[in-house]
Amino acid sequence: MAVATGAQLAARTLRDLGVTVIFGIVGIPVVEIAEEAINLGIRFVAFRNEQACSYAASVYGYMTGRPGGQVHRARLVLIETELTDNYIDLCLQIGNSSANNLPLLVLAGSVETTAITKGAFQEMDAVSFLTPHTKFAVRSSSLDFISGAIKNAYRTCWYGRPGPTFVDLPADIIQGKSTPGFRLPAPETMLVPAPPKTSGDPALIQKAAKLLRTARSPLLIVGKGAAYARAESGIGRFVEQTQIPFLPTPMGKGVVPDSHPLNASSARSAALKHADVVLVLGARLNWILHFGEPPKWSPKAKIIQVDICAEEIGRNAGTAELGIIGDIGLVVDQILTSLSNWRYAPSPVEGRFPSLLAESTAKNEAKVQKAALLPTPADSPLTYQRAFEIIKRTLNSLSPPDEGNIVYVSEGANTMDISRSAFPLNHPRQRLDAGTYATMGVGMGYIVAAHEAYNAVQGSSKPKKIVALEGDSAFGFSAMEVETMARYRIPALIFVMNNSGIYHGDSPNENAWKTLQDQTVFNDTKSDDGKKGLRSTSLLYEMRYEMLAQMCGGKGYFVRSEQELENATRQGFLSDTVTVVNVIVEPGIGKKIGFAWQGNVPESQAKL
């Protein structure tokens, strides 16, 4: 056969593993891998920023069930200004992938093997740097090692607890040529079957079933792991047969339709506080679930954890003796079989749990509806709740929720928290947010990944519209990826909820904002409220974010009123190019800056 280069070997290996899309930012020498991959028919999506690229590759695996590939440019150090550039960015995103249990395969170029330890241009021992943060990190030492290293990294990031893996490819290996007679492995030997699934310990299955039968206030929590495991069919049967109320985590939404009458999302606080037996499917007892601890949870609650990862069992308020390690779909079927025809039927005397949930749901939904339906007064900015109501109503008229043709992406403190309940889902894996790390900047990468997962495959069903709800601060982290979307003709609809600040802005109008700005730049005088100058949370007043789309040939809308928002939503949904809708919302002047998930935030302030 003809002599092969290391770049050709790497690209051929990826193709033979079944990789169809690679996300990356290229530079010398990994550009050669990207070009060879394109020649083999692999779609290569080139980003503007390493963080957005890594976010896309990691969440792609969550949506498709197979790892997303990332080729990372060779650059290791930003010369003369920073200690590191791309590998620091990459390490942060590898941490995000690990924390969220998302499969991610990273290939990166590095200096020639003969230059290691000499202080070569952008030299770094990336393997040592990333080993603590990955499941597998290795440097390819020869052309013969390339295929095996990539295959092992691909399998490892996907099997067991999903997470990131890393293969370092020195420049001389990428550009090197094979010896005469070298043969590529046959394609069929490279295919990696789906990970093997494990069932739960039968004794623990029986114990869990017994606890559920005797519970006065049972609760099911459906986590992101259940969505990743594609366990929606079994969990749906479980809810229907047992009639146990369920509570989805933010990215567990849609595994059981949010429209289901047993959905306790609107009574979240009441559900956690009064449940005595809780079956947790693929969710961590971390800050998102208040660690499973009082006062949010009942101190007497028995928590049955089901997880693929043994390290999660018994964490925080979890009880190790009640933990079940195994595939969620298989374990749910086992518990359901063990329960036989049992159905939750609370006694008239002690069974107040359903009525508590119903009362809490009615109270909370009425409060939410009041805010959502309150018309915006003339010359006043939209509220988040009113803006989301208009967006939801318009989108539902264009694409009924039951069809599941919209994927929602959200990030930003207020935007993400409020939109979680404002946009219900009836299908799994169609809501992506900042996840376990609550990382800002994920949104633009997630949009690209969702498009590639759902729309870029030939023969795919009806295209899904990717709708992003972005805080103005969060949007700024990766806003230049709007150009990436324009380049690859991704017709995303992006709403920037613009309150001119982080958490909230400080000025009700442009004149007031300019006064604060002048105080910062020119003098030390104070405003009437005693504040001096722009606050640490301030952003440019009514920044024209929509122009980012316009400059790339997309569409942009600057929105102040309800009618303008409805029109922009409709036009953006029907557009065949990237659209940014810049929505001016209330700045939140005078409101206390706080984080709803902090343990010391009063119940009245928590966004649950």
Side-chain angles (χ1 to χ4, degrees), residues 438-450:
T439 311
M440 293 298 96
V442 299
M444 300 300 101
Y446 281 8
I447 291 172
V448 177

Side-chain angles (χ1 to χ4, degrees), residues 156-170:
T156 302
C157 79
W158 188 17
Y159 278 35
R161 177 184 182 180
T165 57
F166 174 76
V167 179
D168 187 15
L169 298 169

Side-chain angles (χ1 to χ4, degrees), residues 57-79:
S58 59
V59 85
Y60 179 87
Y62 165 77
M63 289 181 287
T64 63
R66 298 181 69 88
Q70 182 188 4
V71 171
H72 199 266
R73 60 178 166 177
R75 218 168 122 190
L76 305 185
V77 181
L78 183 59
I79 298 299

Side-chain angles (χ1 to χ4, degrees), residues 237-301:
R237 290 195 305 272
F238 183 92
V239 171
E240 290 300 329
Q241 177 176 314
T242 65
Q243 292 294 294
I244 294 176
F246 69 92
L247 180 66
T249 63
M251 284 179 62
K253 290 171 66 67
V255 171
V256 183
D258 281 345
S259 58
H260 197 287
L262 291 172
N263 183 5
S265 292
S266 296
R268 190 181 196 269
S269 294
L272 294 178
K273 191 174 187 66
H274 295 283
D276 62 348
V277 175
V278 184
L279 177 61
V280 180
L281 301 177
R284 290 177 170 144
L285 295 178
N286 59 13
W287 62 273
I288 294 176
L289 288 174
H290 310 288
F291 315 107
E293 299 171 348
K296 297 292 186 181
W297 291 58
S298 166
K300 298 180 180 179

Side-chain angles (χ1 to χ4, degrees), residues 93-161:
Q93 307 339 306
I94 278 178
N96 187 70
S97 172
S98 180
N100 285 285
N101 286 1
L102 301 174
L104 173 65
L105 168 60
V106 180
L107 306 182
S110 61
V111 301
E112 296 86 346
T113 53
T114 54
I116 293 175
T117 74
K118 290 184 176 181
F121 176 65
Q122 297 180 339
E123 178 187 349
M124 174 180 283
D125 184 0
V127 173
S128 297
F129 187 58
L130 295 175
T131 292
H133 310 287
T134 59
K135 294 181 67 180
F136 175 87
V138 66
R139 173 178 289 116
S140 182
S141 57
S142 69
L143 269 70
D144 294 337
F145 190 61
I146 290 176
S147 291
I150 293 176
K151 180 180 179 180
N152 283 333
Y154 181 89
R155 179 185 56 80
T156 302
C157 79
W158 188 17
Y159 278 35
R161 177 184 182 180

Side-chain angles (χ1 to χ4, degrees), residues 216-217 344-356:
R216 296 177 180 176
S217 309
Y344 173 53
S347 68
V349 178
E350 299 174 337
R352 290 205 63 243
F353 190 51
S355 61
L356 282 171

